[in-house]
Amino acid sequence: MFIVPYMVVAAVAILFFIVCRLIVYGVGGKSRHAGVKAEVTAEIPVRPRRKKVPVRQAVPETTAEFPLRKKSAGAGKSAGETTQILPVKEIIKKADAAMGADGATRVFDRGELEKTLPPAKMPSGKVSAFTAEKAPEILEGTPTLQSLEERFVRHFLNRYGAVSSVVEQDTRMVTGHLIRNMDMDPEDMADSLTHIMVQEALQNAQRTYVLMPNDTVLSMVTDAFADVARGRRSETRTTLAYDALKAMPRMEETQFNALSLLLLFHYSRNTDNVDMEAFRKYTRKYITPFLKELPDEYSGYQQMEYIRCVSLENREISFGRVLHDSYPLIFAYRGAMKSELSSVKSDWPEDALVPSLYNSYYKPAVVDDSLFADFCADMGITKEEDKTYLLKVLHSRPVDYDRKELSYILEKISPDLASMQEVWDTSLLRRSSLTLMGMYIARACIKATIGEEFDLSHWM
């Protein structure tokens, strides 16, 4: 009862596969694709193999091959019939014959060519006293200083399209001044002036003075040029002077003043500034000359950073903090009572103790702890317990920084010192620190302005 339906299903499946096979392979049992494959195979011809031909064959030294143009009728000719091999001697004879007889090629001289050219047009207008420079003169032997000076003046003026008589006078003056102040033997001066690096420094010095013709700038470029002319290229001072002369034409005098103030307060201190009167003299000599004109815009300090004279720091240092760090025993501590100082030494010399800037205290005439040992030696204080006690007394009354209180004290010392605090705290001086080149320019400006020489060998 249950087997019959399954047999029917199996029979239907077998019949289905038989019909599918007949459809695919046909009655004869062969695939319909076999004939197509045979036809395609018959239509594709087999490509015969070619014999290998050597890539390069030796060519006789006395022959050369010249392929001839193919003619339409010679399509069936062999390779030997389309290539003609000629001896080299025959080729040379044919080339000589192609050039023609003597006189076929004519050589024209310069005079004949110039006759055919149109006449040159002369420029109209007044002719300048400084004509355009000719080709560079190659010096033979040792030139004179006078001839070199004239060449340098002419070369500088001819670099520009138009110059005034004032520029000419300034150029002649600064060029002669630079050469005369090289402080070298005439022969060594002439040899140094022919050096390319020295001539570039000279041109930058000329440009700086022509842009800012005053005595301060003249002194600055003179010192820098002398350092380049007398120094060796491997020396740091020579490189600094060369780079400084390259940067100076892009600067202003206000920026020179800012660099000078940074050098005075950040990188130097005066050990004589022990009391109010000493600070008053210091302000009058060192601060007032540079306080007149300062860059008050961000672009001025940004430019100095761009030409690598300063570095603008992220942190700010107020003017009061600078004084606290440079003169701690003067501004960071109030001092001691006279009775406390007398307990160590009863017979203090007259200038050994000075009034403090704060209230009625007194303090030794010394600016910080590093000079305290020398001070004690000068005063004859030899006991260690006396030195320790005296130092503890001086440090017993520290002063917290208060801008208003400090401003009041600075105003009593000098109005210019109080102005210095205001300018410093409201400008980018509070964020600026000098680079080595900035120190060099500041040193030159201070020397030219107040005649004070700063030693930068510690940083070089």
Side-chain angles (χ1 to χ4, degrees):
M1 296 293 293
F2 297 94
I3 299 175
V4 174
Y6 289 105
M7 294 179 63
V8 173
V9 173
V12 172
I14 293 171
L15 181 61
F16 174 76
F17 284 113
I18 293 173
V19 173
C20 290
R21 186 179 185 282
L22 293 175
I23 293 173
V24 174
Y25 295 100
V27 180
K30 294 182 179 180
S31 174
R32 291 185 300 175
H33 299 285
V36 177
K37 291 182 179 179
E39 293 177 1
V40 174
T41 305
E43 291 178 359
I44 300 176
V46 179
R47 191 172 184 178
R49 295 184 178 179
R50 295 183 179 180
K51 294 182 179 180
K52 293 184 178 180
V53 181
V55 178
R56 188 174 183 180
Q57 296 181 355
V59 181
E61 297 181 356
T62 58
T63 61
E65 295 184 3
F66 293 88
L68 302 178
R69 290 187 178 180
K70 293 183 179 180
K71 298 181 180 180
S72 58
K77 293 184 179 180
S78 63
E81 295 176 349
T82 58
T83 304
Q84 184 180 8
I85 301 176
L86 299 176
V88 175
K89 294 182 179 180
E90 187 175 349
I91 297 172
I92 297 174
K93 290 181 180 180
K94 290 185 177 182
D96 293 339
M99 293 181 63
D102 295 340
T105 302
R106 185 180 178 187
V107 180
F108 294 90
D109 58 7
R110 184 174 180 178
E112 292 177 335
L113 291 175
E114 289 179 350
K115 292 179 180 179
T116 61
L117 297 176
K121 296 182 179 180
M122 298 300 294
S124 59
K126 186 178 179 180
V127 180
S128 174
F130 296 95
T131 57
E133 285 185 300
K134 301 179 181 179
E137 298 181 15
I138 307 302
L139 300 177
E140 296 181 1
T142 303
T144 62
L145 294 177
Q146 186 176 2
S147 64
L148 287 176
E149 180 179 343
E150 183 61 29
R151 283 191 177 95
F152 295 147
V153 172
R154 182 182 62 185
H155 175 69
F156 179 80
L157 295 175
N158 282 329
R159 294 183 62 183
Y160 305 98
V163 293
S164 63
S165 59
V166 177
V167 172
E168 177 197 353
Q169 295 174 4
D170 292 341
T171 304
R172 290 191 178 278
M173 194 279 294
V174 68
T175 305
H177 188 271
L178 292 173
I179 294 176
R180 288 190 298 271
N181 287 271
M182 290 176 62
D183 194 18
M184 300 169 65
D185 295 333
E187 185 176 352
D188 294 336
M189 290 171 62
D191 181 66
S192 178
L193 288 172
T194 56
H195 196 281
I196 298 298
M197 184 176 181
V198 177
Q199 292 186 31
E200 290 181 354
L202 176 63
Q203 293 172 20
N204 289 324
Q206 291 171 322
R207 188 179 299 108
T208 303
Y209 180 77
V210 169
L211 292 173
M212 296 174 286
N214 57 63
D215 294 339
T216 301
V217 175
L218 179 62
S219 177
M220 292 174 63
V221 298
T222 301
D223 290 345
F225 176 72
D227 287 340
V228 176
R230 294 195 300 259
R232 294 180 299 177
R233 285 186 296 173
S234 58
E235 295 178 351
T236 304
R237 191 182 190 90
T238 305
T239 305
L240 284 176
Y242 179 80
D243 291 340
L245 287 173
K246 188 185 297 184
M248 284 182 188
R250 294 177 285 175
M251 301 178 66
E252 297 179 352
E253 295 181 63
T254 58
Q255 295 171 324
F256 296 155
N257 294 336
L259 296 178
S260 301
L261 291 174
L262 288 171
L263 180 62
L264 288 171
F265 286 105
H266 270 316
Y267 304 93
S268 67
R269 65 176 180 177
N270 194 323
T271 56
D272 294 334
N273 291 340
V274 295
D275 59 358
M276 184 176 295
E277 185 60 30
F279 262 101
R280 189 174 291 117
K281 294 179 180 178
Y282 177 82
T283 302
R284 188 163 48 247
K285 179 179 180 180
Y286 291 92
I287 300 177
T288 303
F290 305 104
L291 196 59
K292 297 177 181 178
E293 295 182 358
L294 291 172
D296 54 357
E297 296 180 359
Y298 177 77
S299 59
Y301 293 93
Q302 189 180 37
Q303 183 194 16
M304 287 193 290
E305 184 182 36
Y306 177 76
I307 59 180
R308 296 180 291 114
C309 289
V310 301
S311 176
L312 296 179
E313 309 292 344
N314 292 328
R315 65 188 185 96
E316 299 179 357
I317 302 179
S318 63
F319 185 69
R321 182 59 58 189
V322 173
L323 294 179
H324 273 229
D325 296 340
S326 300
Y327 306 95
L329 293 182
I330 307 299
F331 290 96
Y333 300 98
R334 297 186 182 276
M337 293 185 294
K338 211 163 191 180
S339 58
E340 294 173 332
L341 299 175
S342 299
S343 63
V344 177
K345 184 179 178 64
S346 58
D347 54 343
W348 289 97
E350 183 179 358
D351 297 333
L353 301 179
V354 295
S356 173
L357 299 179
Y358 301 94
N359 299 330
S360 58
Y361 294 103
Y362 288 85
K363 59 180 60 180
V366 62
V367 296
D368 64 0
D369 295 349
S370 64
L371 302 175
F372 184 74
D374 295 337
F375 173 80
C376 291
D378 295 339
M379 296 296 106
I381 302 175
T382 58
K383 295 182 180 180
E384 291 298 328
E385 55 268 21
D386 291 342
K387 296 179 183 179
T388 303
Y389 171 77
L390 186 58
L391 200 58
K392 286 183 178 180
V393 168
L394 294 176
H395 291 173
S396 62
R397 298 175 179 88
V399 178
D400 294 332
Y401 173 67
D402 186 342
R403 190 177 186 279
K404 291 184 178 180
E405 182 183 16
L406 182 62
S407 179
Y408 173 75
I409 294 174
L410 297 180
E411 186 69 32
K412 288 196 305 181
I413 296 175
S414 172
D416 287 344
L417 195 58
S419 299
M420 182 71 249
Q421 181 192 25
E422 182 67 22
V423 170
W424 186 288
D425 292 345
T426 57
S427 68
L428 286 181
L429 285 173
R430 67 186 187 275
R431 286 181 49 196
S432 300
S433 60
L434 289 178
T435 62
L436 197 55
M437 188 174 71
M439 291 183 187
Y440 183 88
I441 297 177
R443 182 202 66 86
C445 182
I446 293 174
K447 180 182 178 182
T449 304
I450 63 177
E452 189 78 14
E453 181 74 35
F454 276 80
D455 185 16
L456 299 181
S457 59
H458 177 72
W459 290 277
M460 293 185 183

